[in-house]
Amino acid sequence: MIDIPVPFAKLDNSINTPAYAHEGDAGIDLRSTIDCVIEPFERFVVPTGVAFAIPEGYAGLVIPRSGLAAKHGVSIVNAPGLIDSGYRGEIKVVLINLDAKKPFEIKTGDRIAQIMFTPYAQACLEQQATLGETSRGTDGFGSSGVS
């Protein structure tokens, strides 16, 4: 575990300060600043009322909450949502209700997603005419089977 300082701004003072739910957690809870209902198979952009100054060399990954997925079929359309270090705007979460029958209701202050901060490597791309051989080659999409 690496501790990094991440400055943040509360853009909506009615919500709780972002925090880890438990000691040792990887993701900080993000909360909704609005009441809304997401109908079956609909998506909705939910504001969180916070912005972060992510340090250079790090990215924020907005990830679904497992309880929402398991109990309600609610996930994030572009999971994980990538927040680059240069972005200073409000974090918004594109939720989708994958339940075929039940609308999903969100209240102001509900925990809707998590954000985790992670270091990354930036690639120095080098164009090549060929990429070399491996035992896998170009086998993809299901080539290893299911069992």
Side-chain angles (χ1 to χ4, degrees), residues 66-138:
S66 57
L68 291 184
K71 295 176 184 175
H72 304 285
V74 173
S75 191
I76 297 175
V77 174
N78 60 323
L82 173 62
I83 311 298
D84 291 310
S85 63
Y87 178 69
R88 293 295 183 267
E90 180 177 15
I91 304 299
K92 296 180 181 179
V93 182
V94 187
L95 292 179
I96 187 164
N97 179 0
L98 297 172
D99 189 293
K101 298 177 183 171
K102 297 179 189 172
F104 182 70
E105 184 177 0
I106 297 171
K107 295 287 188 190
T108 299
D110 283 355
R111 294 177 292 171
I112 57 163
Q114 299 176 83
I115 188 168
M116 67 177 291
F117 301 101
T118 186
Y120 65 88
Q122 195 167 42
C124 297
L125 298 178
E126 299 175 352
Q127 185 173 348
Q128 305 288 318
T130 61
L131 297 178
E133 298 294 322
T134 68
S135 61
R136 180 176 179 171
T138 59

Side-chain angles (χ1 to χ4, degrees), residues 8 10 12-20 28-31 50:
F8 75 97
K10 278 178 74 171
D12 184 329
N13 286 321
S14 71
I15 62 159
N16 292 347
T17 298
Y20 294 99
I28 294 171
D29 288 326
L30 296 172
R31 296 175 181 269
V50 293

Side-chain angles (χ1 to χ4, degrees), residues 3-84:
D3 289 335
I4 59 164
V6 179
F8 75 97
K10 278 178 74 171
L11 308 175
D12 184 329
N13 286 321
S14 71
I15 62 159
N16 292 347
T17 298
Y20 294 99
H22 305 284
E23 188 175 330
D25 283 356
I28 294 171
D29 288 326
L30 296 172
R31 296 175 181 269
S32 173
T33 62
I34 61 170
D35 296 340
C36 62
V37 174
I38 307 174
E39 297 296 331
F41 300 118
E42 283 189 342
R43 62 187 180 275
F44 198 92
V45 179
V46 182
T48 67
V50 293
F52 296 97
I54 301 169
E56 189 172 324
Y58 289 82
L61 299 178
V62 178
I63 54 179
R65 297 192 71 235
S66 57
L68 291 184
K71 295 176 184 175
H72 304 285
V74 173
S75 191
I76 297 175
V77 174
N78 60 323
L82 173 62
I83 311 298
D84 291 310

